[in-house]
Every structure is written in structure tokens, then in C-alpha cells.
Amino acid sequence: MDTDQLIRSLAVDNAHRAPRVGAVLTMALLVAAPLSILIFATFLGMRADVMSAMRNPFFDMKFAVTLSLAIPAIIVSLHLSRPEALLRGWGWLLLLPVGLLAVAIGSEAMMAPAMPMTMRLMGKNSRVCLVAIPAMSLPLLAGALFGLRHGAPSRPALAGALAGLVSAGLAATLYASHCTDDSPLFVATWYTLATALVTAIGAAVGSRVLRY
């Protein structure tokens, strides 16, 4: 095989790699999701006032923030599953939840405060948040890492961190339906800390299991 033919063969193989990784990642997350849902149903469950909470825009905001983290993280992780891919030009997608939170915090600040800022920041469920989101993330993180192993990321720690963002975003979406703290300040603080923990775990594990 001459050099030009080899390059064409590699290009064709690479063109089919990302969709295959995407399919495996999707299936792995679907397999892992019932375990996270079981943890949620066993230890947490939906908040009692969920129907009335739906009329609160800040309750809906929590889901917008968590999904705007999980979905872009999936997109970026699939992009980085190719060996030649760079984060440049894609990282801005991960700033979407930051922008949403900034808008929500600004909107809440312009309203007549229903409770002091300290109470909005600390809430009632900070400890539960820091345990529940990582716990529900672990099955999803395992699934995400399994899916990304079918690619060839050149930066395995970064790919693992993105797997952590994916799993934390999905787990936080589940947790948001239980959490009675709807303030954007609470979400920006405690959801972020829980997500950072899962991201660090993903980076540490990914640096080993995603290496090729």
C-alpha cells in the first residue's frame, strides 16, 4: 500500500469512528441510567410540591442549566474522541450553563428578595446535594468512560473530565426534581461543587482507562 492510499484508508476509518463512538456512548449511558434512577428513587424521590414548583421559573432554570451542561459535554467529548481533535473552537459550548446562571442570578437580584442572600446561598440541602449528585453520577460516569474507550482521545484526562461533566449534568438533572432549593445562587454554588468533584474523578480515572 502506498502512502496516499494509506492516508485515504485512515481518513475513511476516522470518518466512521465518531458515529460509532456516539452509538456506544449512547447505549452505555442508557444502560447506566436505570442504576442512577434507582439511587434517586430509593434515597431521594421527587419533591412533594413538584406541581406547584413548576410555576416557579427558577425551578425550571435548574433543568435548563443542568441539561445545557450535559448535552454540550456529550458533543465535545465525542469531538475529542478523535486522536487529532483539539478543544479549540469547542470549549465555548461548556460555558452555556455559566451564562444561564449569570442571567438567572441577575434576574433574582432584581426581584424583591423572598429570603436573605445567605439563606439563598446555603439553602437547606447543600450536604445532600454534595452527596447525591456524585452518587448518581458514578454509574453514568462508568458508562461514559466505557463509551469513550471506543474512540482514541489524545488527551485522556481531558476526555475523562468531560465524561465527568456529562454524568454530573445528567445526575444533577435528576437531583433538581428533588431539591427544594431553587435559588440560582444555590445552584451556582453547590451543584457546581458537586460537578467539580465528579469531573475530577472522571479526569483521574480517564487518564488511565482512556489511554491508548
Side-chain angles (χ1 to χ4, degrees):
M1 181 182 293
D2 61 32
T3 302
D4 290 339
Q5 185 178 355
L6 175 61
I7 292 173
R8 286 194 296 270
S9 298
L10 290 173
V12 170
D13 179 68
N14 185 63
H16 290 284
R17 181 179 294 277
R20 184 168 65 87
V21 175
V24 176
L25 177 61
T26 300
M27 289 303 300
L29 290 175
L30 288 174
V31 169
L35 294 176
S36 297
I37 294 172
L38 179 62
I39 295 172
F40 172 78
T42 302
F43 298 102
L44 298 172
M46 300 278 284
R47 57 191 281 181
D49 64 340
V50 65
M51 298 306 294
S52 60
M54 289 180 182
R55 296 192 289 270
N56 178 2
F58 292 129
F59 174 77
D60 300 330
M61 173 276 305
K62 293 190 297 186
F63 296 93
V65 168
T66 57
L67 290 174
S68 71
L69 172 65
I71 294 172
I74 291 174
I75 295 171
V76 177
S77 66
L78 289 176
H79 168 69
L80 291 180
S81 69
R82 297 176 298 170
E84 80 286 0
L86 299 174
L87 185 60
R88 187 184 307 116
W90 292 78
W92 67 270
L93 290 172
L94 303 176
L95 297 178
L96 290 176
V98 178
L100 287 176
L101 278 173
V103 171
I105 290 172
S107 300
E108 187 181 42
M110 291 188 291
M111 296 179 178
M115 61 182 71
M117 180 178 291
T118 303
M119 179 62 71
R120 283 182 280 146
L121 177 65
M122 298 304 298
K124 301 176 181 177
N125 300 282
S126 55
R127 292 183 180 178
V128 176
C129 179
L130 288 177
V131 173
I133 291 178
M136 290 188 293
S137 294
L138 291 179
L140 294 165
L141 177 58
L145 291 171
F146 176 83
L148 293 177
R149 272 183 59 85
H150 287 73
S154 58
R155 300 172 67 182
L158 178 58
L162 283 162
L165 289 177
V166 170
S167 57
L170 294 174
T173 302
L174 270 178
Y175 177 72
S177 64
H178 167 82
C179 181
T180 55
D181 294 304
D182 298 328
S183 171
L185 283 174
F186 182 90
V187 175
T189 303
W190 301 103
Y191 283 49
T192 299
L193 287 174
T195 298
L197 175 59
V198 179
T199 303
I201 295 172
V205 178
S207 66
R208 294 177 178 272
V209 303
L210 299 180
R211 185 176 299 161
Y212 69 94

